[in-house]
Structure formats: C-alpha cells, structure tokens
Amino acid sequence: MYTPPFSVTSKIIDLISKISERIGEINSLESSPRNVQLRRMNRIKTIHSSLAIENNSLSLEQITAIIEGKRVLGAPNEIQEVKNAVQAYDLLLSLDSTNEDDLLRAHSLMMSDLVNQNGKYRTGGVGIFDGSDVVHIAPPAERVPALMADLFDWLKNSDVHPLIKSCVFHYEFEFIHPFQDGNGRMGRLWQTVILKDWKDVFAWLPVETLIKEHQAEYYKALNTSDSNADSTIFTEFMLNLLDKSIEEIIAIEKRVTVKVTQKVTVNQQKIIEAIKENPSITQDELSQKIGIARKNIIGNMKKLQEKGILRRVGADKNGYWEVTASAP
C-alpha cells in the first residue's frame, strides 16, 4: 500500500491532544439555543472564505443574500460559484470520505457550469503559478487516476489518526491537482469531509475562514512541503489552524452565554434576535423587520455596542454583526 511521506512530530502529537480536549468542550455546547444559528453562520463564512481564496469578490452579505434566494448584482460566474458551493456543502453530511466516487460527485456540483470537465479528472497538464513564476507542476494527467486510487486506498486502510490523515490527504490532493479547476476548494472541502467522518462537529467549523486570514502562510506551508517532498510542515500548520478554529468557536459561545446586568428595551431585544438569525443583516433590513426608523435602529445598536452586547466584525461593506453577550 502506498504511504505518503510525513513524520509525526512532537508538535503534531501536542496539537492532536489539544484538539481532542477542545472537541470534548465544544460538544458540551451543542445544546446551546444558538447552535442552529451558529452552524448556519459558520457555513456561510466557510463558503465565503473558500471562494474568496479563489478570488471570488462577493461579500459575506451578498453570499448570505444568494443563500436566502435574494437577487444579487455581481459577476454571473461568481454567483454561480456560490450556488455550486452551497449545493456541495449541503451534501457534506452524506459524503463518505473514503469513497472516490463521492469526491467526483462533489466536484461535479462544485464546478457545475464553470468547467467542461466537472466531476472528472483532468486530461491535460496543470501548474500553479505565483504571478509569472511556476511554483508547482502537477503530475501528468495519465497518472492521476492511479495516484488518486492509491491515495484513497491509504486513506481507507491506514490506522493513522484522522486529524493527521485529513492534513496529509489535503496536501497530497493539492500536489496531484487532479482536476482541471477547483482543486483548492475541493482539497479544503475534502479535509472537512474526512474530519466530519471522525467527529460530526467538524462539519460546522469555519476552518476556511482561518485559512483565508492566513492565506500566505497556507501557501508557504504547501510550498515548503513540496520542497521537502514531505507533508509534515503542512500537517503542523493545518492542525494549528484547526486548534485555533475550535478555540475561537468555544470563546464565542462562552461570551454569548454570559449574562449582562444592563437592561435592554423591547426593540433592542428584537435587534439582538434578528442579528442572531442573520449576522449580515443591514440596518435598513432591521428597520423593515422591526418596524422602526433607521435612525432609531442606529441609535439602539450604538447603545448595545456601548453595553458590550454587540460588536461589528470587519468593514462596513463586507463585515457582519456579532452578539457578544446575551441580554437578561
């Protein structure tokens, strides 16, 4: 059986231990009344970040609108990318990480109406470029089916810890670059599928968001592993991101469940509930939903921010609202 080259370092062992402990803590938060909204927002953030890495310019707010079936102005191919990603991630819970046909099925959805060979391995050569510089030449197309079969055979039969397997598979997948296009988003998706098959909670973690925030380091880890002909550095990098992602979710949930002493008005409570349902909601939409003037929405939101109940994450255009504590 083919075994991808990597080493299990002390750093990897330490990260596996930390992640396993955090998994237990995050599972205890599953009963939170915010769990459904949190999962929904994490899924939207995941799709936004994954596509942004591939240079899709649509904002988090626009992607939320597309998911809600609203009309959005934007490049048709970018809107199509969002619709495809939504379908692929909706399929996530039913995908079997060790089934090669499921990978092809997911790619067929992810790249529908974007490439001619969606759901099929490439028939030509591909390379990865940084500007005009070639940073990686993928194996010849005729080798792809055998390389992918070997990789899936290892994934299915290896007794390596799933956390390590997910990272090694991700790296090997990007090295092979099996598709004409969509390799980046599929490699990241399939790592999530592998992790989801180990622990369900990984289906809802916005790991893509942290990859987007550390995009340069992500590509550097891939390139370093290429140079070393060994995925150890990439595995350490991805495990560190997984640990940070879980830590961030736990911190957000704990903040949200903290009671605050300040009283809030009925309208302020309505604003809080509306934002929990849709963190990307605009002030105009809040005005329509709650039935008060926009200037009153602005005033109430300012008061909620002053009380530490509400905060803005990101820029006015592409950011979203976060409820940092619950009102009594």
Side-chain angles (χ1 to χ4, degrees), residues 261-274:
T261 57
Q262 297 95 333
K263 291 183 178 180
V264 298
T265 66
V266 172
N267 284 334
Q268 287 171 358
Q269 186 63 47
K270 289 180 179 179
I271 290 171
I272 291 169
E273 295 306 318

Side-chain angles (χ1 to χ4, degrees), residues 31 59 66 70 82 96-97 100 108 117 127 137 140 151-152 156-157 163 184 203 209 212 231 234 236 255 260 270 283:
S31 60
S59 68
I66 292 170
K70 298 177 183 177
V82 174
D96 176 357
S97 63
E100 193 172 356
S108 180
Q117 294 180 316
I137 296 295
L151 185 57
F152 270 97
K156 185 173 183 177
N157 296 300
L163 282 166
T209 304
K212 175 66 175 65
S231 61
F234 182 75
E236 290 179 345
R255 286 202 304 270
V260 294
K270 289 180 179 179
Q283 290 171 334

